[in-house]
Coordinates of all heavy atoms in Angstrom, one line a residue:
R1 N 44.3 74.3 -14.3 CA 43.4 74.6 -15.3 C 42.1 73.8 -15.3 O 42.1 72.7 -14.9 CB 44.2 74.1 -16.7 CG 43.6 74.8 -17.9 CD 44.5 74.4 -19.1 NE 43.9 73.3 -19.9 CZ 43.1 73.6 -21.0 NH1 42.8 74.9 -21.3 NH2 42.7 72.7 -21.7
M2 N 40.9 74.6 -15.5 CA 39.6 74.0 -15.2 C 39.3 73.4 -16.5 O 39.4 73.8 -17.6 CB 38.6 75.1 -14.9 CG 38.6 75.4 -13.4 SD 37.0 76.2 -12.9 CE 37.1 77.7 -13.6
S3 N 38.5 72.2 -16.3 CA 37.9 71.5 -17.5 C 36.8 72.4 -18.1 O 36.2 73.2 -17.4 CB 37.5 70.1 -17.1 OG 36.3 70.2 -16.1
R4 N 36.3 71.9 -19.2 CA 35.1 72.8 -19.8 C 33.9 72.6 -18.9 O 33.1 73.5 -18.7 CB 34.8 72.1 -21.2 CG 35.6 73.1 -22.2 CD 35.3 72.7 -23.6 NE 34.0 72.4 -24.0 CZ 33.7 71.4 -24.8 NH1 34.7 70.7 -25.3 NH2 32.4 71.3 -25.2
H5 N 33.7 71.3 -18.3 CA 32.6 71.1 -17.5 C 32.6 71.9 -16.2 O 31.7 72.5 -15.8 CB 32.6 69.5 -17.2 CG 31.4 69.2 -16.3 ND1 30.2 69.2 -16.7 CD2 31.4 68.9 -15.0 CE1 29.3 68.9 -15.6 NE2 30.1 68.7 -14.6
A6 N 33.9 72.0 -15.6 CA 34.1 72.8 -14.4 C 33.8 74.3 -14.7 O 33.1 75.0 -13.9 CB 35.5 72.7 -13.8
K7 N 34.2 74.7 -15.8 CA 34.0 76.2 -16.3 C 32.5 76.4 -16.5 O 32.0 77.4 -15.9 CB 34.6 76.5 -17.6 CG 36.1 76.9 -17.4 CD 36.5 77.6 -18.7 CE 38.0 77.9 -18.6 NZ 38.9 77.1 -19.5
K8 N 31.8 75.4 -17.0 CA 30.3 75.6 -17.1 C 29.6 75.7 -15.9 O 28.8 76.6 -15.6 CB 29.7 74.4 -17.8 CG 29.6 74.6 -19.4 CD 29.2 73.2 -19.9 CE 28.0 73.4 -20.8 NZ 27.7 72.2 -21.6
L9 N 30.0 75.0 -14.9 CA 29.5 75.0 -13.4 C 29.7 76.2 -12.8 O 29.0 76.7 -11.9 CB 30.0 73.7 -12.6 CG 29.5 72.4 -13.1 CD1 30.1 71.4 -12.2 CD2 28.0 72.3 -13.1
R10 N 30.8 77.0 -13.1 CA 31.1 78.3 -12.6 C 30.4 79.4 -13.3 O 30.5 80.6 -12.9 CB 32.6 78.5 -12.6 CG 33.4 77.5 -11.9 CD 33.2 77.4 -10.3 NE 33.1 78.8 -9.6 CZ 32.4 78.7 -8.5 NH1 31.9 77.7 -7.9 NH2 32.4 79.9 -7.8
D11 N 29.6 79.2 -14.4 CA 29.1 80.2 -15.2 C 27.7 80.5 -14.7 O 26.8 79.6 -14.6 CB 28.9 79.7 -16.7 CG 28.4 80.7 -17.7 OD1 27.7 81.7 -17.2 OD2 28.8 80.7 -18.8
H12 N 27.4 81.8 -14.3 CA 26.2 82.1 -13.7 C 25.0 82.0 -14.7 O 23.9 81.7 -14.3 CB 26.2 83.7 -13.4 CG 26.8 83.8 -12.1 ND1 26.2 83.7 -10.7 CD2 28.2 84.2 -11.8 CE1 27.1 83.9 -9.8 NE2 28.2 84.3 -10.4
D13 N 25.3 82.1 -16.1 CA 24.2 81.9 -16.9 C 23.7 80.5 -17.1 O 22.7 80.2 -17.6 CB 24.5 82.5 -18.4 CG 24.5 84.0 -18.3 OD1 23.5 84.5 -17.6 OD2 25.2 84.7 -19.1
I14 N 24.7 79.5 -16.8 CA 24.5 78.1 -17.0 C 24.0 77.5 -15.6 O 23.1 76.7 -15.6 CB 25.6 77.4 -17.5 CG1 25.8 77.8 -18.9 CG2 25.5 75.9 -17.5 CD1 27.2 77.4 -19.4
N15 N 24.7 77.8 -14.5 CA 24.3 77.3 -13.2 C 23.6 78.3 -12.4 O 24.2 79.2 -11.8 CB 25.7 76.9 -12.5 CG 25.4 76.2 -11.1 OD1 24.3 76.2 -10.7 ND2 26.5 75.8 -10.5
P16 N 22.3 78.1 -12.3 CA 21.5 79.0 -11.4 C 21.7 78.8 -10.0 O 21.3 79.9 -9.2 CB 20.0 78.7 -11.8 CG 20.0 77.2 -12.0 CD 21.4 77.0 -12.8
C17 N 22.3 77.9 -9.5 CA 22.5 77.6 -8.1 C 24.0 77.8 -7.7 O 24.4 77.1 -6.6 CB 21.9 76.3 -7.7 SG 20.2 76.0 -8.2
L18 N 24.7 78.7 -8.2 CA 26.1 78.9 -8.0 C 26.3 79.4 -6.5 O 27.2 78.9 -5.9 CB 26.7 79.9 -9.0 CG 28.2 79.9 -9.1 CD1 28.8 78.5 -9.4 CD2 28.6 80.8 -10.2
A19 N 25.4 80.3 -6.1 CA 25.6 80.7 -4.7 C 25.4 79.7 -3.6 O 26.1 79.6 -2.7 CB 24.7 82.0 -4.5
E20 N 24.4 78.8 -4.0 CA 24.0 77.7 -3.0 C 25.2 76.7 -3.1 O 25.6 76.1 -2.0 CB 22.8 77.0 -3.5 CG 21.6 78.0 -3.2 CD 21.2 78.9 -4.3 OE1 22.0 79.2 -5.2 OE2 20.3 79.7 -4.1
T21 N 25.8 76.4 -4.2 CA 26.9 75.5 -4.4 C 28.1 75.9 -3.6 O 28.6 75.2 -2.7 CB 27.3 75.4 -5.8 OG1 26.2 75.1 -6.7 CG2 28.5 74.4 -6.0
D22 N 28.3 77.2 -3.7 CA 29.6 77.8 -3.0 C 29.3 77.9 -1.4 O 30.2 77.6 -0.7 CB 29.8 79.2 -3.5 CG 30.4 79.3 -4.9 OD1 30.8 78.3 -5.4 OD2 30.4 80.3 -5.6
A23 N 28.1 78.1 -1.1 CA 27.7 78.2 0.3 C 27.9 76.8 1.0 O 28.4 76.7 2.1 CB 26.3 78.8 0.6
T24 N 27.3 75.8 0.3 CA 27.5 74.4 0.7 C 29.0 74.0 0.9 O 29.3 73.4 1.9 CB 26.7 73.4 -0.3 OG1 25.4 74.0 -0.4 CG2 26.7 72.1 0.3
T25 N 29.8 74.3 -0.1 CA 31.1 74.0 0.0 C 31.8 74.6 1.1 O 32.6 73.9 1.8 CB 31.9 74.4 -1.4 OG1 31.1 73.7 -2.6 CG2 33.3 73.9 -1.5
K26 N 31.6 75.9 1.2 CA 32.2 76.7 2.4 C 31.8 76.0 3.7 O 32.6 75.8 4.5 CB 31.8 78.1 2.3 CG 32.6 78.9 3.3 CD 32.0 80.5 3.3 CE 32.8 81.4 4.4 NZ 33.1 80.7 5.6
C27 N 30.5 75.7 3.8 CA 30.1 75.1 5.1 C 30.7 73.8 5.4 O 31.2 73.5 6.5 CB 28.5 74.8 5.0 SG 27.8 74.1 6.5
M28 N 30.9 73.0 4.2 CA 31.6 71.7 4.5 C 33.0 72.0 4.8 O 33.5 71.3 5.7 CB 31.5 70.9 3.1 CG 30.1 70.4 2.9 SD 29.6 69.0 4.0 CE 30.5 67.6 3.4
D29 N 33.8 72.9 4.3 CA 35.1 73.2 4.5 C 35.2 73.7 6.0 O 36.1 73.3 6.7 CB 35.7 74.3 3.6 CG 35.9 73.9 2.2 OD1 35.9 72.6 2.0 OD2 36.0 74.7 1.3
D30 N 34.3 74.6 6.4 CA 34.4 75.2 7.7 C 34.0 74.1 8.8 O 34.4 74.3 9.9 CB 33.4 76.3 7.8 CG 33.8 77.5 6.9 OD1 34.8 77.5 6.4 OD2 32.9 78.5 6.7
N31 N 33.3 73.0 8.5 CA 32.9 72.1 9.4 C 33.4 70.8 9.3 O 32.8 69.8 9.7 CB 31.3 72.1 9.5 CG 30.7 73.2 10.0 OD1 30.7 73.5 11.1 ND2 30.1 74.0 9.1
N32 N 34.8 70.7 8.7 CA 35.5 69.6 8.6 C 34.7 68.4 7.9 O 34.8 67.2 8.2 CB 35.9 69.1 10.1 CG 37.3 68.6 10.0 OD1 37.9 68.5 9.0 ND2 37.7 68.1 11.3
Y33 N 34.0 68.8 6.9 CA 33.2 67.8 6.1 C 32.2 67.0 6.8 O 31.9 66.0 6.4 CB 34.2 67.1 5.2 CG 34.8 67.9 4.1 CD1 36.1 68.4 4.5 CD2 34.3 68.2 3.0 CE1 36.6 69.4 3.7 CE2 34.9 69.1 2.2 CZ 36.2 69.7 2.5 OH 36.7 70.6 1.7
N34 N 31.7 67.5 7.9 CA 30.5 67.0 8.6 C 29.2 67.4 8.0 O 28.7 68.6 8.2 CB 30.6 67.4 10.2 CG 29.5 66.9 10.9 OD1 28.6 66.2 10.3 ND2 29.6 67.0 12.3
K35 N 28.7 66.6 7.2 CA 27.4 66.9 6.5 C 26.2 67.3 7.3 O 25.5 68.1 6.9 CB 27.0 65.7 5.6 CG 27.3 65.7 4.2 CD 26.8 64.5 3.5 CE 26.9 64.7 2.0 NZ 26.4 63.6 1.2
D36 N 26.1 66.8 8.5 CA 25.1 67.2 9.5 C 25.1 68.6 9.7 O 24.0 69.2 10.1 CB 25.2 66.2 10.8 CG 25.0 64.8 10.5 OD1 24.5 64.4 9.5 OD2 25.6 64.0 11.2
M37 N 26.3 69.2 9.7 CA 26.4 70.6 10.1 C 25.9 71.6 9.0 O 25.6 72.7 9.2 CB 27.8 71.0 10.5 CG 28.5 70.2 11.5 SD 27.7 70.7 13.2 CE 28.3 72.3 13.4
C38 N 25.6 71.0 7.8 CA 25.4 71.7 6.7 C 24.0 71.4 6.0 O 23.8 71.8 4.8 CB 26.4 71.6 5.6 SG 28.1 72.0 6.3
T39 N 23.1 70.7 6.8 CA 21.9 70.2 6.2 C 21.1 71.4 5.5 O 20.4 71.2 4.5 CB 21.0 69.6 7.3 OG1 21.8 68.8 8.1 CG2 19.7 68.8 6.8
D40 N 21.0 72.5 6.3 CA 20.3 73.7 5.6 C 20.8 74.1 4.2 O 20.1 74.4 3.3 CB 20.3 74.9 6.5 CG 19.5 74.7 7.8 OD1 18.7 73.7 7.8 OD2 19.6 75.5 8.7
Y41 N 22.1 74.1 4.1 CA 22.7 74.5 2.9 C 22.4 73.5 1.8 O 22.1 73.7 0.6 CB 24.3 74.6 3.0 CG 24.7 75.8 3.8 CD1 25.0 75.5 5.2 CD2 24.7 77.0 3.3 CE1 25.4 76.6 6.1 CE2 25.1 78.1 4.1 CZ 25.4 77.9 5.5 OH 25.8 79.0 6.2
F42 N 22.5 72.2 2.0 CA 22.2 71.1 1.2 C 20.7 71.3 0.7 O 20.4 71.1 -0.5 CB 22.3 69.7 1.7 CG 23.8 69.3 1.7 CD1 24.5 69.2 2.9 CD2 24.4 69.0 0.6 CE1 25.8 68.9 2.9 CE2 25.8 68.7 0.6 CZ 26.6 68.5 1.8
L43 N 19.7 71.5 1.7 CA 18.3 71.7 1.4 C 18.2 73.0 0.5 O 17.4 72.8 -0.6 CB 17.6 71.8 2.6 CG 16.1 71.8 2.6 CD1 15.7 70.4 2.1 CD2 15.4 72.0 3.8
K44 N 18.8 74.1 0.7 CA 18.6 75.3 -0.1 C 19.1 74.9 -1.6 O 18.5 75.4 -2.5 CB 19.5 76.4 0.5 CG 18.8 77.1 1.5 CD 19.7 78.3 2.0 CE 19.0 78.9 3.3 NZ 20.0 79.5 4.2
Y45 N 20.2 74.2 -1.7 CA 20.7 73.8 -3.0 C 19.8 73.0 -3.7 O 19.5 73.2 -4.8 CB 22.1 73.1 -2.8 CG 22.6 72.5 -4.1 CD1 23.2 73.4 -5.0 CD2 22.5 71.2 -4.5 CE1 23.7 72.9 -6.3 CE2 23.0 70.7 -5.6 CZ 23.5 71.6 -6.6 OH 23.9 71.0 -7.8
K46 N 19.3 71.9 -3.0 CA 18.3 71.0 -3.5 C 17.0 71.7 -4.0 O 16.6 71.5 -5.2 CB 17.9 69.9 -2.5 CG 17.3 68.7 -3.0 CD 17.1 67.6 -1.9 CE 15.8 67.0 -2.2 NZ 15.5 66.1 -1.0
N47 N 16.5 72.6 -3.2 CA 15.4 73.4 -3.6 C 15.7 74.3 -4.8 O 14.8 74.5 -5.7 CB 14.8 74.2 -2.5 CG 14.2 73.4 -1.3 OD1 13.8 72.2 -1.6 ND2 14.2 73.8 -0.1
C48 N 16.7 74.9 -4.9 CA 17.2 75.7 -5.9 C 17.2 74.9 -7.2 O 16.6 75.3 -8.2 CB 18.6 76.3 -5.7 SG 19.3 77.3 -7.1
R49 N 17.8 73.7 -7.2 CA 18.0 72.9 -8.4 C 16.5 72.5 -8.9 O 16.2 72.4 -10.0 CB 18.7 71.7 -8.1 CG 20.2 71.9 -7.8 CD 21.1 72.4 -8.9 NE 21.0 71.6 -10.1 CZ 21.4 72.0 -11.3 NH1 22.0 73.2 -11.5 NH2 21.3 71.3 -12.4
K50 N 15.7 72.1 -7.9 CA 14.4 71.6 -8.2 C 13.6 72.7 -8.9 O 12.8 72.6 -9.8 CB 13.6 71.1 -6.9 CG 12.5 70.3 -7.2 CD 12.3 69.3 -5.8 CE 11.1 69.7 -5.1 NZ 11.0 69.0 -3.9
F51 N 13.6 73.9 -8.3 CA 12.9 75.1 -8.9 C 13.2 75.5 -10.3 O 12.4 75.5 -11.1 CB 13.1 76.4 -8.0 CG 12.5 77.5 -8.5 CD1 11.2 77.8 -8.4 CD2 13.3 78.6 -9.3 CE1 10.5 78.9 -8.9 CE2 12.7 79.7 -9.7 CZ 11.3 79.9 -9.5
W52 N 14.6 75.5 -10.5 CA 15.1 76.0 -11.9 C 14.9 74.8 -12.9 O 14.7 75.0 -14.0 CB 16.5 76.5 -11.8 CG 16.5 77.7 -11.1 CD1 17.1 78.1 -9.9 CD2 15.9 79.0 -11.6 NE1 16.9 79.4 -9.7 CE2 16.2 80.0 -10.6 CE3 15.2 79.3 -12.8 CZ2 15.7 81.3 -10.8 CZ3 14.6 80.7 -12.9 CH2 14.9 81.6 -12.0
H53 N 15.0 73.5 -12.4 CA 14.7 72.5 -13.3 C 13.3 72.4 -13.8 O 13.0 72.2 -15.0 CB 15.0 71.1 -12.6 CG 14.8 69.9 -13.4 ND1 15.7 69.5 -14.4 CD2 13.7 69.1 -13.5 CE1 15.2 68.4 -15.0 NE2 14.0 68.2 -14.5
G54 N 12.3 72.8 -12.9 CA 10.9 72.9 -13.2 C 10.8 74.1 -14.3 O 10.0 73.8 -15.3
I55 N 11.4 75.1 -14.2 CA 11.4 76.3 -15.0 C 12.0 75.8 -16.4 O 11.3 76.1 -17.6 CB 12.1 77.6 -14.5 CG1 11.6 78.0 -13.2 CG2 12.2 78.6 -15.6 CD1 10.5 79.0 -13.3
M56 N 13.0 75.1 -16.3 CA 13.7 74.6 -17.6 C 12.8 73.7 -18.4 O 12.7 73.8 -19.6 CB 15.0 73.9 -17.2 CG 16.1 74.2 -18.3 SD 17.6 73.5 -17.6 CE 17.5 71.8 -17.8
M57 N 12.1 72.7 -17.7 CA 11.3 71.7 -18.4 C 10.0 72.5 -19.0 O 9.7 72.2 -20.1 CB 10.8 70.8 -17.3 CG 12.0 69.8 -16.8 SD 13.2 69.3 -18.0 CE 12.1 68.0 -18.9
Q58 N 9.5 73.5 -18.3 CA 8.4 74.2 -18.8 C 8.8 75.0 -20.0 O 8.1 74.9 -21.0 CB 7.9 75.2 -17.8 CG 6.6 75.8 -18.0 CD 5.9 76.6 -16.9 OE1 6.5 76.7 -15.9 NE2 4.8 77.2 -17.2
R59 N 10.0 75.6 -20.0 CA 10.4 76.4 -21.2 C 10.7 75.5 -22.4 O 10.3 75.7 -23.5 CB 11.7 77.1 -20.9 CG 11.5 78.4 -20.1 CD 12.8 78.9 -19.5 NE 13.6 79.5 -20.5 CZ 13.8 80.7 -20.7 NH1 13.2 81.6 -20.0 NH2 14.6 81.2 -21.6
K60 N 11.2 74.2 -22.1 CA 11.4 73.2 -23.1 C 10.1 72.8 -23.8 O 10.0 72.8 -25.0 CB 12.1 71.9 -22.4 CG 12.7 71.0 -23.4 CD 13.5 70.0 -22.7 CE 14.3 69.0 -23.7 NZ 15.1 68.2 -22.9
R61 N 9.1 72.5 -22.9 CA 7.8 72.2 -23.4 C 7.2 73.2 -24.2 O 6.4 73.0 -25.3 CB 6.8 71.9 -22.3 CG 6.9 70.5 -21.7 CD 5.7 70.1 -20.8 NE 5.6 71.0 -19.6 CZ 6.3 70.8 -18.5 NH1 7.0 69.8 -18.2 NH2 6.1 71.6 -17.5
N62 N 7.4 74.6 -23.9 CA 6.9 75.7 -24.6 C 7.8 76.1 -25.7 O 7.5 77.1 -26.5 CB 6.8 76.9 -23.7 CG 5.7 76.6 -22.6 OD1 4.9 75.6 -22.8 ND2 5.8 77.2 -21.5
G63 N 8.8 75.4 -26.0 CA 9.8 75.7 -27.1 C 10.6 76.9 -27.0 O 11.1 77.5 -27.9
V64 N 10.8 77.3 -25.7 CA 11.6 78.6 -25.4 C 13.0 78.2 -25.4 O 13.4 77.3 -24.7 CB 11.1 79.2 -24.0 CG1 11.9 80.5 -23.8 CG2 9.6 79.4 -24.1
K65 N 13.8 79.0 -26.1 CA 15.3 78.9 -26.0 C 15.9 80.2 -25.5 O 15.4 81.2 -25.8 CB 15.8 78.7 -27.4 CG 15.3 77.3 -28.1 CD 16.3 76.1 -27.7 CE 15.8 74.9 -28.4 NZ 16.0 73.7 -27.7
P66 N 17.1 80.1 -24.8 CA 17.6 78.9 -24.2 C 16.6 78.3 -23.2 O 15.8 79.1 -22.5 CB 18.9 79.3 -23.7 CG 18.7 80.7 -23.3 CD 17.7 81.3 -24.3
E67 N 16.7 77.0 -22.9 CA 16.0 76.4 -21.9 C 16.2 76.8 -20.5 O 15.3 77.0 -19.6 CB 16.1 74.9 -21.9 CG 15.4 74.3 -23.2 CD 15.9 72.9 -23.5 OE1 16.7 72.3 -22.9 OE2 15.5 72.6 -24.8
M68 N 17.5 77.2 -20.2 CA 17.8 77.9 -18.9 C 17.8 79.3 -19.1 O 18.6 79.8 -19.9 CB 19.1 77.3 -18.3 CG 19.6 78.0 -17.0 SD 18.4 77.8 -15.7 CE 18.6 76.1 -15.3
P69 N 17.0 80.1 -18.3 CA 17.1 81.6 -18.5 C 18.5 82.1 -18.1 O 19.2 81.5 -17.3 CB 16.1 82.0 -17.5 CG 15.2 80.8 -17.1 CD 16.1 79.6 -17.4
S70 N 18.9 83.2 -18.6 CA 20.1 83.7 -18.3 C 20.0 84.3 -17.0 O 18.9 84.4 -16.3 CB 20.4 85.0 -19.3 OG 19.5 86.0 -19.0
A71 N 21.2 84.6 -16.3 CA 21.2 85.1 -14.9 C 20.4 86.3 -14.8 O 19.6 86.5 -13.8 CB 22.7 85.5 -14.6
E72 N 20.4 87.2 -15.7 CA 19.6 88.4 -15.7 C 18.1 88.1 -15.7 O 17.3 88.7 -15.0 CB 19.9 89.3 -16.9 CG 19.4 90.8 -16.8 CD 19.8 91.4 -15.5 OE1 20.9 91.4 -15.1 OE2 19.0 92.2 -14.9
E73 N 17.7 87.2 -16.6 CA 16.3 86.8 -16.8 C 15.9 86.1 -15.5 O 14.8 86.2 -15.0 CB 16.2 85.8 -17.9 CG 14.9 85.8 -18.6 CD 14.8 84.9 -19.8 OE1 15.9 84.6 -20.4 OE2 13.7 84.5 -20.2
R74 N 16.7 85.2 -14.8 CA 16.4 84.6 -13.6 C 16.1 85.5 -12.5 O 15.2 85.3 -11.7 CB 17.4 83.6 -13.2 CG 17.6 82.4 -14.1 CD 18.3 81.2 -13.5 NE 19.7 81.6 -13.1 CZ 20.8 81.6 -13.8 NH1 20.7 81.1 -15.0 NH2 22.0 81.9 -13.3
K75 N 16.9 86.6 -12.5 CA 16.7 87.6 -11.5 C 15.4 88.2 -11.5 O 14.6 88.3 -10.5 CB 17.8 88.8 -11.7 CG 18.0 89.6 -10.4 CD 19.2 90.6 -10.7 CE 18.9 91.8 -10.0 NZ 19.8 92.9 -10.6
K76 N 14.8 88.5 -12.9 CA 13.5 89.1 -13.1 C 12.5 88.1 -12.6 O 11.4 88.5 -12.1 CB 13.3 89.5 -14.5 CG 14.2 90.7 -14.9 CD 14.0 91.2 -16.2 CE 14.9 92.3 -16.6 NZ 15.6 92.3 -18.0
I77 N 12.6 86.8 -12.9 CA 11.7 85.8 -12.5 C 11.5 85.8 -11.1 O 10.5 85.8 -10.6 CB 12.1 84.4 -13.0 CG1 12.0 84.4 -14.6 CG2 11.2 83.3 -12.6 CD1 12.6 83.1 -15.3
L78 N 12.6 85.8 -10.3 CA 12.6 85.8 -8.8 C 11.9 87.0 -8.3 O 11.2 86.9 -7.4 CB 13.9 85.6 -8.3 CG 14.6 84.1 -8.5 CD1 16.0 84.2 -8.0 CD2 13.7 83.1 -7.9
E79 N 12.2 88.2 -8.9 CA 11.6 89.4 -8.4 C 10.2 89.4 -8.6 O 9.4 89.9 -7.8 CB 12.3 90.6 -9.1 CG 13.7 90.9 -8.6 CD 14.5 91.9 -9.4 OE1 14.0 92.4 -10.5 OE2 15.6 92.2 -9.0
S80 N 9.6 89.0 -9.7 CA 8.3 88.9 -10.1 C 7.4 88.0 -9.2 O 6.3 88.2 -8.9 CB 8.0 88.5 -11.6 OG 8.2 87.1 -11.6
M81 N 8.2 87.1 -8.5 CA 7.5 86.2 -7.5 C 7.6 86.8 -6.1 O 6.9 86.2 -5.1 CB 8.2 84.8 -7.4 CG 8.2 84.1 -8.8 SD 9.3 82.6 -8.7 CE 8.4 81.6 -7.6
G82 N 8.2 87.9 -5.9 CA 8.3 88.5 -4.6 C 9.2 87.8 -3.7 O 9.1 87.5 -2.5

């Protein structure tokens, strides 16, 4: 049984970096937990978190709710950026 926190992390509307999280975990599993083999995955995850954190802070400053855009909204934001 998953905790409420674990469920939240698996929710596409809450966690914008779910794909990066899963890819990093898979890389670690596949490479016997050798972090050096997964540097690119960690970097992609870090960049993802940084990007969406910035969006979230901007929305917070502008009084936009919810602060984290939904999965559908995030898709549109990324598409608009090319």
Side-chain angles (χ1 to χ4, degrees):
R1 205 169 100 89
M2 276 202 290
S3 69
R4 268 183 42 221
H5 180 70
K7 273 196 186 109
K8 267 175 129 174
L9 293 177
R10 301 298 314 157
D11 186 332
H12 279 281
D13 283 328
I14 294 168
N15 182 356
C17 302
L18 198 53
E20 291 79 0
T21 303
D22 290 347
T24 305
T25 302
K26 184 183 181 329
C27 180
M28 290 292 281
D29 288 345
D30 293 350
N31 290 286
N32 221 359
Y33 294 89
N34 178 348
K35 264 188 164 174
D36 296 336
M37 301 292 287
C38 302
T39 312
D40 288 350
Y41 292 98
F42 283 110
L43 193 60
K44 280 181 187 154
Y45 173 77
K46 195 172 142 191
N47 288 338
C48 178
R49 295 295 306 170
K50 201 154 112 185
F51 176 79
W52 290 112
H53 181 74
I55 299 274
M56 216 169 79
M57 295 316 287
Q58 193 172 355
R59 286 168 66 105
K60 194 174 188 168
R61 278 193 298 273
N62 297 340
V64 179
K65 296 274 183 207
E67 286 157 12
M68 177 55 72
S70 68
E72 192 55 42
E73 208 178 335
R74 287 195 309 267
K75 196 174 147 197
K76 288 179 183 146
I77 291 170
L78 291 175
E79 282 168 1
S80 75
M81 296 173 71

